Amino acid sequence: WVQGEYPDVDVDFNPVVRDYLKNVWAPKTFGEMNVCAIGNYTTFGIKSSLIDMARVYGLDRNEILSLTTKIGLKDEDGKALTWDKALESYPDLKKYCDENSQASGEYPSFKDAARRLLNRNRGMGMHAGGLIIASQRIDNLVPLVKGKDGVPVSAFVEGLHGTDLGPLGLIKFDMLVITNLVQISKACKLIK
């Protein structure tokens, strides 16, 4: 790997074991302030940007929902659906956007506003299995937010939506859950 770019550590666990390691063992072993979950961001896709902008512009919710439920995630070639391809592939959507294309004063048109939202951060969540373990207090290294149940979560991300932690020298421990491990465990018990 390139200096400064650290690999993720991915390990597969039974769900009960993973939850114990994340929530009990790691904080107890390394210190509660030296461990945190990894944050992730949801972004606006075509459907969510259209629905949210329709609400902002006071357009009929049922009308936009009836259009967006027809929109797929991929185009006919199996590639991620782009804005232009969505308008080309769904004539009713294009018609709706064209009918609501008037800009009012300093505000962009509905269509332009929805398009501008694409791929912007919509909300923050917590990586299901991601964990950071450091040799010092995490809050000295990255900003933290409170996740579910007050669990500290890094405001920086590592994965699909960004690589903020690796350049800081932090390694993402990805404790994955594999449901087949539960089945294998049960089979072993039955065999015994």
Side-chain angles (χ1 to χ4, degrees), residues 29 38 52 64 67 80 93 100 103 113 117 141 158 160 167:
T29 304
I38 298 174
D52 281 13
I64 193 68
L67 291 170
L93 176 62
N100 294 290
L117 271 184
L141 303 169
E158 190 71 24
L160 294 176

Side-chain angles (χ1 to χ4, degrees), residues 174-192:
D174 201 353
M175 299 177 175
L176 306 169
V177 169
I178 304 295
T179 54
N180 287 350
L181 292 176
V182 174
Q183 296 166 343
I184 292 169
S185 174
K186 286 179 182 178
C188 289
K189 286 180 184 175
L190 288 171
I191 292 169
K192 282 184 183 178

Side-chain angles (χ1 to χ4, degrees), residues 51-99:
I51 292 167
D52 281 13
M53 277 299 111
R55 182 179 42 81
V56 168
Y57 279 72
L59 301 173
D60 185 294
R61 180 172 170 76
N62 292 328
E63 192 175 356
I64 193 68
L65 286 175
S66 72
L67 291 170
T68 56
T69 55
K70 298 173 188 172
I71 299 173
L73 298 175
K74 300 192 182 267
D75 64 18
E76 64 272 359
D77 297 327
K79 296 179 182 171
L81 188 65
T82 64
W83 179 268
D84 292 332
K85 197 69 171 174
L87 293 179
E88 179 185 314
S89 301
Y90 299 95
D92 290 346
L93 176 62
K94 181 176 179 357
K95 180 181 175 197
Y96 181 87
C97 287
D98 289 344
E99 288 172 357

